[in-house]
Amino acid sequence: MAVTNDGFQAAPAVGGMLTGRLSVMMFLQFFVWGAWTVTLGLVMQTVGIGNLIGNAFSVGPIASIVGSFLLGMAAARYVAPRMLMVILHLIGGVLLFLLPALVTPENGRTFVWLLLCYMILYMPTVGLANTIALKSFGERTDKFPFVRAFGTLGWITAGLLIGWAGLSASPEIFRVAGVVSIVLGLYSFTLPNVTADAPRDESVLRQVFCVEAFGLLRQRSFLIFMTCATLISIPLAMYYAYASPYVGATGISNVGGTLAIGQMSELVFMFSMPWLYRRFGVKPLLLVGMAAWALRYALFAIGDGGSSIWAVYLGVALHGVCYDFFFVAGAIYTGTIATPKGVNAQAQGMLTLFTYGVGMLLGSQIGALLYAQLPASPTIADWQHMWWYPAIAAAVIALLFQFTFRDDTRKSAA
């Protein structure tokens, strides 16, 4: 398979076999994450360490920040993306097998620290997977949403499997993730050998701090996008941390299976993303995604285990709009901005840094403060009150984006 000077695979290599290989990669990538993160809050509340939920969901954002700098340098300069996938997933799989024994009141804080170590290894692989897919497709970025849809399918499968096996509230969710992580590490040997970004500067420090990628922020439209992406990730963090205990409080027993409804809707919208992106451009998609977050939290704020149970299911089902219209469209937009500069891997890592890193770290800590105001066994009324905060925040961010962002790439293409 030919490789162009900027590190992209030549367009003629794009075919069914390549698409299939990348689809398997995405399926396993998000199965690993979805197997444990969806119901972790419920697990921790069940075993008596609910007070550490905020800290546990802060490790991912911290890991995004640390991994973006330490491992982002290797991705951009020294090691091919697929080899980093091999190394990180194999070591990460071993750590996942060690976690279940630590999910106890006595070892809760040790559990959080080891989870941090694992996430430092895992979070860079999210950007690496995107980089491998986008570089393999070259100019055919319209194929990326199809491949990314298999990541959603992996997340759904993980949730359904955890729910079917009755493990939604069990620490054994980490062992399931560990098995698949090791499988992905071995499978990564077979991935396309796309090249690392060719740096324009030989300074190691410039590579560590991703200077070329941060230089993209000089473009006003990209700076506004990255700012709003960071801000919207603050209320986003509360969904990942507290949706499972909230759904459990409504009386729904199969929490993992219920939350998988959100990924099912994500899968439906994922396949429409290429057409929607070409038809409307990035701004309408990002705006709809932000507005959907506000609506989802408002639905949670009125949902209960009685006559308003429909609001709970509808709020979960909105995940497809929330995630696809913002994060998938955002990844494509970032690639569009970064490709001419030859810093795609760095830019995708930077997007992960600001969203899953800075934004979700702030969101996890703010969510922890709000959760600390609830009683030890929150009632539905307690949960409803808490959800109004992220609903209002998401609505304000959507308005800010609407009045400040302009899609320069669409204007140039026209």
Side-chain angles (χ1 to χ4, degrees):
M1 184 179 296
V3 180
T4 61
N5 292 331
D6 60 1
F8 279 81
Q9 302 292 358
V14 177
M17 183 64 70
L18 174 63
T19 301
R21 291 161 63 196
L22 296 174
S23 297
V24 172
M25 173 192 71
M26 284 293 184
F27 180 93
L28 297 175
Q29 174 74 32
F30 284 89
F31 185 106
V32 173
W33 199 359
W36 64 267
T37 195
V38 173
T39 62
L40 177 60
L42 177 62
V43 172
M44 297 180 69
Q45 190 174 71
T46 300
V47 301
I49 54 174
N51 61 308
L52 296 177
I53 291 176
N55 290 339
F57 279 90
S58 293
V59 302
I62 294 173
S64 295
I65 298 172
V66 174
S68 294
F69 287 115
L70 297 183
L71 297 175
M73 176 186 67
R77 187 180 179 94
Y78 297 114
V79 184
R82 74 171 182 181
M83 288 309 300
L84 272 178
M85 289 283 283
V86 170
I87 296 168
L88 298 179
H89 279 296
L90 288 179
I91 298 176
V94 174
L95 295 184
L96 284 169
F97 275 101
L98 300 177
L99 286 170
L102 300 176
V103 188
T104 64
E106 298 77 19
N107 299 307
R109 296 192 181 279
T110 303
F111 160 74
V112 172
W113 280 106
L114 187 59
L115 184 62
L116 172 61
C117 293
Y118 166 72
M119 289 301 284
I120 289 175
L121 300 177
Y122 178 84
M123 289 308 297
T125 66
V126 176
L128 287 171
N130 287 345
T131 296
I132 290 172
L134 288 167
K135 283 195 171 187
S136 297
F137 285 141
E139 296 180 355
R140 294 300 307 274
T141 55
D142 59 311
K143 287 183 172 289
F144 175 74
F146 176 83
V147 167
R148 177 57 183 79
F150 279 85
T152 303
L153 186 60
W155 190 292
I156 293 171
T157 304
L160 293 176
L161 177 63
I162 294 299
W164 171 79
L167 299 177
S168 293
S170 170
E172 293 301 307
I173 54 178
F174 288 107
R175 296 192 196 278
V176 176
V179 171
V180 180
S181 180
I182 291 175
V183 170
L184 176 54
L186 296 174
Y187 177 76
S188 295
F189 280 110
T190 72
L191 294 175
N193 190 25
V194 300
T195 60
D197 289 336
R200 293 173 299 173
D201 189 284
E202 292 301 317
S203 168
V204 173
L205 286 178
R206 286 178 64 88
Q207 292 306 304
V208 171
F209 292 101
C210 302
V211 173
E212 285 83 2
F214 275 93
L216 299 175
L217 296 177
R218 288 194 293 266
Q219 300 181 45
R220 180 179 180 275
S221 61
F222 192 65
L223 174 61
I224 292 173
F225 159 72
M226 198 64 73
T227 300
C228 290
T230 303
L231 292 175
I232 201 66
S233 297
I234 295 175
L236 161 66
M238 292 188 61
Y239 174 77
Y240 287 127
Y242 299 106
S244 62
Y246 160 69
V247 172
T250 65
I252 296 174
S253 57
N254 188 350
V255 176
T258 299
L259 292 176
I261 295 173
Q263 276 65 48
M264 293 177 189
S265 72
E266 181 184 332
L267 189 62
V268 171
F269 285 104
M270 187 78 69
F271 287 110
S272 66
M273 286 303 296
W275 180 83
L276 291 172
Y277 194 91
R278 289 193 303 268
R279 176 65 177 82
F280 298 104
V282 69
K283 181 173 183 177
L285 300 186
L286 295 175
L287 185 61
V288 169
M290 292 180 178
W293 282 109
L295 176 58
R296 154 184 272 180
Y297 290 131
L299 289 168
F300 282 177
I302 65 173
D304 58 30
S307 59
S308 297
I309 192 69
W310 60 270
V312 179
Y313 285 107
L314 181 57
V316 171
L318 272 175
H319 186 75
V321 180
C322 296
Y323 192 91
D324 291 349
F325 279 58
F326 191 84
F327 284 96
V328 177
I332 298 174
Y333 175 67
T334 299
T336 301
I337 296 294
T339 295
K341 304 294 185 180
V343 291
N344 197 20
Q346 283 192 28
Q348 294 296 336
M350 184 174 67
L351 178 62
T352 301
L353 165 67
F354 280 114
T355 54
Y356 288 103
V358 177
M360 291 194 68
L361 175 59
L362 292 173
S364 296
Q365 291 302 306
I366 293 172
L369 292 175
L370 294 174
Y371 181 79
Q373 306 305 312
L374 304 183
S377 299
T379 65
I380 287 297
D382 295 322
W383 284 113
Q384 289 175 327
H385 178 74
M386 191 181 81
W387 288 123
W388 279 118
Y389 291 98
I392 294 171
V396 171
I397 296 166
L399 289 174
L400 174 66
F401 181 79
Q402 165 63 20
F403 291 111
T404 60
F405 179 81
R406 181 179 63 187
D407 183 8
D408 294 332
T409 61
R410 189 169 177 83
K411 180 179 179 181
S412 299

